[in-house]
Amino acid sequence: MEQQKVTIKDVADLAGVSKSTVSRYLNNGYISAEKQAKVRKAIEQTGFQSNFFAKRLKTRESKLIGIVLPRMDSVTVGKLLSGITRVLEPEGYQSILLVSQLSGKKELESMQKLQQQGVDAILVDSVGLTAEHVRRAQEWGLPILYTGQKNAAVHCLKIDDAAAGHRMGVYLRQMGHKHAVFAGVTESDEAVGIERKEGFIAGFCEGRTDAKVDFVETGFDFLSAYNQAAEIHKLDPSVVVGATDNISLGILRYFHERGVRVPEDISVVGFGGYDVGAVVYPALTTVAFDYELMGMKAASYLLNILRGGEAGMTNLDMPLLFVERESVQNLVKKTLPINSTSLPAMM
Amino acid sequence: MEQQKVTIKDVADLAGVSKSTVSRYLNNGYISAEKQAKVRKAIEQTGFQSNFFAKRLKTRESKLIGIVLPRMDSVTVGKLLSGITRVLEPEGYQSILLVSQLSGKKELESMQKLQQQGVDAILVDSVGLTAEHVRRAQEWGLPILYTGQKNAAVHCLKIDDAAAGHRMGVYLRQMGHKHAVFAGVTESDEAVGIERKEGFIAGFCEGRTDAKVDFVETGFDFLSAYNQAAEIHKLDPSVVVGATDNISLGILRYFHERGVRVPEDISVVGFGGYDVGAVVYPALTTVAFDYELMGMKAASYLLNILRGGEAGMTNLDMPLLFVERESVQNLVKKTLPINSTSLPAMM
DNA sequence: TTGATATATGGAATTAGTTCCACATTTTTC
DNA sequence: GAAAAATGTGGAACTAATTCCATATATCAA
């Protein structure tokens, strides 16, 4: 087997010291100023690079963080990863990536692989927490953090969907809207299908009895929402609330095609804060989830555990960003006399 | 130092064989059926897992591929990564990710880190190839493949921008367009700024003298294109060609706001094939770059070199996907008598 | 019945580091 | 000035695997 060009032994010989001394130089163990200079010179001359595997074999620290992602080709995941990397890199950690392709089984397999690989910790953007997930988190010694899903028995980090929905509900109530259609997804998705919707209804109806929320179920994708748009339109609300920006985009397109003006004739809002929302006409008002920040928080959390600070469980407190753009009409303003008399020419 | 729970020695003792025999069992070296059974049983009982670092130290093969990306929060990069993973995972390789944040210096540093880490190969989605990049590819023993940039001295893989431009030019010519405005970026970007534009002009003007292409420079982003849209409109072309989909989206939004109908009054096309293009109104006709396929090709290429097949240099042959949607008017059809007489009611 | 070849197997060396321990200096304290 | 403490240093053991080499059988041909 071909051997390494320059080893610690070569450096030691050249510097006239022992292997131990070179190792100490490398790891801030103590060494006299004199030998320090010699070793430094020898390392420069030889171009010595420490062997990763030999070092890790002994120290049992890989400085590698395993990350399991449900898929790669989504902006959401990209931002999450971006946030994780931003925190991990300066600390000398690097990430190994595995993709679960939205399969719980592959997710577990990937975690297993990473564990064998000797990563220091694992971060999983999970598609669903099972008993097996919980068991592994306990059985293996290493820190595991789940994002996107919630379970009291493990470390996890999740967006507060109820708060997001509530926020939007309050906003639309304040804008004077009374009849909303919530274009949502199946209730089998607890976060988006239930929490987000319930949160919205609570915020929208809070403190009044004349508010009305209808519900129409769609899929997650743009096309499925587009296909439900006619039904939504028939209910004749003043605002359509898409459970995700993609849903809202599908509805927006339908309205465009039919000549329904947004927000003059009807308002549309979404959740997610995708960049696309700024590009469509009119630009979509939305509650943005800061996935990059979530990635940063997740990474910090993991780092904290790694350093022995057995941080208190689960932090659900992910801040939300309300992005007010052009797709909502202010019904309150419109009925004020000062507006209705001074601005008729603008129509 | 805390030691590993179960080592190959423990398995050997339990099975009543030597370490060597267990190692042979693990690595398909020969072993009698009898001992094979014993070892299998011992491994099951102990739950033995081979130590990654000890193994790699000896074999000098990490089964790790280093990937350097300019940024993470883009769909393009996500697709590329998705393609890479799809090829690498089934072969037992895993990826270590580093982000260069669009800096050539960080890119080089990241490569260095990966090399120290003992990866088997490096894939760089480069922001610009320097002499240093070429030098490293030669100096370090390991295979390095660059994507996104071109240089004859190293392995690289790039989209054929000239062909993409040409393809679009031919299409618009066939649709009967004679006056185009190319909304492009600075020529300091060789691929997009020059190759793509020149390719378009060639395809558009091929074999005729009555074609005209004006050029307006914009930035890469949606907003900068939006700001140039008035100037473009003044030139009164029959079609606007955005150098990227983002540019086209900015222009599309401007037209929407001014009541200019697309494609009835003016056609708009782009390059890239971003999903967004299908969602806007009208859906954008574009030349899509299959970044996922590019990732797959890149990974295969690397795998091939790793296996000793010193594959011939650089394969520029990335297939393009023409995506015809709604944003281009067929001027040829329009002038046919059968249309102008039978369909006036549709206006 | 030999000698030659094939098939298994164990022992020891090897991989490139870190770290413990013993020991030699030097410095500080009483 | 002797004892105690601090500071360096090298040797050897250790980390957990792979692999070379020697050796022991078993199989086969002459």
Side-chain angles (χ1 to χ4, degrees):
Chain A
M1 205 87 315
E2 169 202 357
Q3 61 192 9
Q4 186 160 320
K5 300 161 302 245
V6 183
T7 71
I8 208 170
K9 180 72 166 55
D10 300 320
V11 174
D13 289 350
L14 185 64
V17 298
S18 71
K19 274 170 49 173
S20 332
T21 303
V22 178
S23 178
R24 260 176 242 124
Y25 169 86
L26 257 18
N27 298 284
N28 308 316
Y30 52 54
I31 177 171
S32 64
E34 180 203 0
K35 308 232 166 182
Q36 201 165 10
K38 277 188 189 165
V39 173
R40 178 171 47 246
K41 208 173 140 199
I43 288 179
E44 267 169 31
Q45 276 180 31
T46 54
F48 167 77
Q49 287 191 341
S50 174
N51 181 295
F52 180 76
F53 300 110
K55 185 183 181 98
R56 297 323 185 208
L57 173 57
K58 187 73 185 176
T59 60
R60 304 190 161 278
E61 210 200 20
S62 67
K63 287 279 185 179
L64 250 29
I65 306 279
I67 301 179
V68 182
L69 261 17
R71 38 184 290 197
M72 271 301 338
D73 53 354
S74 110
V75 185
T76 300
V77 168
K79 299 234 182 214
L80 186 73
L81 216 42
S82 178
I84 294 169
T85 309
R86 181 178 293 194
V87 171
L88 252 32
E89 268 211 47
E91 300 293 329
Y93 283 89
Q94 278 159 24
S95 334
I96 296 194
L97 258 202
L98 255 34
V99 181
S100 69
Q101 278 153 264
L102 294 163
S103 139
K105 188 162 156 286
K106 274 212 77 175
E107 190 172 293
L108 251 9
E109 281 171 16
S110 299
M111 289 171 63
Q112 173 95 11
K113 263 192 212 161
L114 289 167
Q115 189 257 352
Q116 280 173 31
Q117 213 90 164
V119 298
D120 292 345
I122 298 181
L123 199 153
V124 187
D125 192 20
S126 182
V127 295
L129 291 181
T130 65
E132 183 68 9
H133 284 80
V134 176
R135 204 177 59 71
R136 300 212 175 177
Q138 292 160 347
E139 191 174 292
W140 300 340
L142 77 175
I144 301 181
L145 174 62
Y146 296 98
T147 64
Q149 296 289 328
K150 205 166 46 171
N151 186 315
V154 295
H155 300 286
C156 46
L157 197 60
K158 194 181 136 318
I159 267 154
D160 190 341
D161 284 282
H166 190 266
R167 180 78 192 270
M168 183 60 87
V170 169
Y171 170 76
L172 291 177
R173 170 160 54 79
Q174 287 172 348
M175 295 297 272
H177 288 268
K178 288 182 179 161
H179 181 202
V181 170
F182 192 91
V185 299
T186 168
E187 296 211 337
S188 74
D189 185 314
E190 203 189 322
V192 182
I194 300 178
E195 289 175 31
R196 201 174 287 181
K197 184 178 69 181
E198 298 300 333
F200 170 75
I201 294 172
F204 190 67
C205 301
E206 219 161 55
R208 57 176 179 170
T209 52
D210 59 343
K212 183 178 162 197
V213 179
D214 289 319
F215 177 72
V216 172
E217 184 174 324
T218 82
F220 271 98
D221 61 311
F222 149 73
L223 190 65
S224 134
Y226 175 84
N227 290 334
Q228 296 293 322
E231 193 186 332
I232 292 167
H233 196 199
K234 248 184 276 168
L235 294 166
D236 192 34
S238 69
V239 58
V240 180
V241 182
T244 73
D245 281 355
N246 268 348
I247 291 171
S248 307
L249 257 20
I251 290 162
L252 228 41
R253 183 165 217 274
Y254 174 88
F255 285 159
H256 267 120
E257 289 179 10
R258 307 290 147 147
V260 179
R261 292 168 306 161
V262 178
E264 292 85 351
D265 299 335
I266 194 166
S267 300
V268 176
V269 296
F271 288 90
Y274 311 156
D275 289 344
V276 201
V279 126
V280 292
Y281 183 75
L284 190 68
T285 290
T286 186
V287 175
F289 304 132
D290 194 338
Y291 285 104
E292 177 145 12
L293 182 65
M294 182 152 160
M296 293 175 69
K297 280 208 176 195
S300 304
Y301 194 90
L302 232 31
L303 241 35
N304 192 31
I305 304 178
L306 241 23
R307 287 177 181 140
E310 180 57 51
M313 272 288 117
T314 317
N315 174 7
L316 283 167
D317 190 18
M318 286 299 310
L320 304 165
L321 202 71
F322 194 84
V323 182
E324 189 170 15
R325 291 197 280 231
E326 312 163 347
S327 62
V328 174
Q329 187 171 37
N330 188 342
L331 298 173
V332 177
K333 226 191 238 161
K334 211 182 172 187
T335 58
L336 285 172
I338 197 165
N339 281 327
S340 51
T341 54
S342 66
L343 295 171
M346 284 190 68
M347 293 304 287
Chain B
M1 206 85 316
E2 171 200 357
Q3 60 190 10
Q4 187 160 319
K5 300 159 303 242
V6 184
T7 71
I8 209 170
K9 180 73 168 51
D10 299 319
V11 175
D13 289 350
L14 185 66
V17 299
S18 72
K19 278 171 41 173
S20 329
T21 305
V22 178
S23 178
R24 259 176 242 121
Y25 170 85
L26 260 15
N27 298 285
N28 308 316
Y30 53 57
I31 176 172
S32 64
E34 180 202 0
K35 309 234 167 185
Q36 202 165 9
K38 277 188 189 168
V39 172
R40 178 171 46 245
K41 209 173 138 199
I43 287 178
E44 268 169 30
Q45 275 180 32
T46 54
F48 166 78
Q49 287 190 342
S50 173
N51 182 296
F52 180 77
F53 300 109
K55 186 183 180 95
R56 297 323 184 208
L57 173 57
K58 189 70 186 171
T59 60
R60 304 192 162 279
E61 208 200 22
S62 67
K63 287 280 185 177
L64 251 28
I65 306 278
I67 301 180
V68 183
L69 261 17
R71 36 183 293 196
M72 271 301 336
D73 53 354
S74 109
V75 185
T76 300
V77 167
K79 301 234 182 213
L80 185 73
L81 217 42
S82 179
I84 294 169
T85 310
R86 182 178 292 194
V87 170
L88 251 32
E89 268 210 48
E91 300 292 330
Y93 283 90
Q94 277 158 25
S95 337
I96 297 195
L97 258 201
L98 255 34
V99 180
S100 69
Q101 278 155 259
L102 295 161
S103 139
K105 189 163 155 283
K106 274 213 74 174
E107 189 171 293
L108 250 10
E109 282 170 16
S110 299
M111 290 171 62
Q112 173 95 12
K113 266 191 211 163
L114 289 167
Q115 188 257 354
Q116 281 173 32
Q117 214 89 164
V119 298
D120 292 345
I122 299 181
L123 198 154
V124 187
D125 191 21
S126 182
V127 295
L129 291 182
T130 65
E132 182 68 10
H133 284 81
V134 176
R135 203 177 59 72
R136 300 212 176 179
Q138 292 159 344
E139 190 174 294
W140 300 341
L142 77 176
I144 302 181
L145 173 63
Y146 296 97
T147 64
Q149 296 288 329
K150 205 166 43 173
N151 186 316
V154 294
H155 300 285
C156 45
L157 197 61
K158 194 180 135 316
I159 268 155
D160 191 340
D161 283 284
H166 190 266
R167 180 77 192 273
M168 182 60 87
V170 169
Y171 170 75
L172 291 177
R173 170 161 53 79
Q174 287 170 348
M175 295 297 272
H177 288 268
K178 289 183 177 157
H179 181 201
V181 170
F182 191 91
V185 299
T186 167
E187 295 210 338
S188 73
D189 184 313
E190 203 189 321
V192 181
I194 300 178
E195 289 175 31
R196 200 174 289 179
K197 183 178 69 183
E198 300 298 335
F200 170 75
I201 293 171
F204 190 67
C205 301
E206 220 162 54
R208 57 176 179 171
T209 53
D210 59 344
K212 183 178 163 198
V213 179
D214 289 318
F215 177 72
V216 173
E217 184 173 325
T218 82
F220 271 99
D221 60 310
F222 149 73
L223 189 66
S224 135
Y226 174 84
N227 289 334
Q228 298 292 324
E231 192 186 332
I232 292 167
H233 196 200
K234 247 185 278 167
L235 295 166
D236 192 35
S238 69
V239 57
V240 181
V241 182
T244 73
D245 280 355
N246 268 348
I247 291 171
S248 307
L249 256 19
I251 291 161
L252 228 41
R253 183 166 216 273
Y254 173 87
F255 285 159
H256 267 120
E257 288 179 12
R258 308 289 147 146
V260 179
R261 291 167 306 160
V262 179
E264 292 84 352
D265 299 334
I266 194 166
S267 299
V268 176
V269 296
F271 288 90
Y274 310 157
D275 289 343
V276 201
V279 127
V280 292
Y281 182 76
L284 191 66
T285 290
T286 186
V287 175
F289 305 132
D290 195 340
Y291 285 104
E292 179 143 11
L293 182 65
M294 182 151 160
M296 291 175 69
K297 280 209 175 193
S300 305
Y301 194 90
L302 231 32
L303 242 35
N304 192 31
I305 304 178
L306 241 23
R307 287 178 180 139
E310 180 59 49
M313 272 286 119
T314 318
N315 173 6
L316 283 168
D317 189 19
M318 284 300 311
L320 304 165
L321 201 71
F322 195 83
V323 182
E324 187 169 17
R325 292 197 280 229
E326 313 163 347
S327 62
V328 174
Q329 185 170 39
N330 188 341
L331 298 173
V332 177
K333 228 192 239 162
K334 210 182 171 185
T335 56
L336 285 172
I338 196 164
N339 281 327
S340 50
T341 54
S342 65
L343 295 172
M346 285 190 67
M347 294 303 286

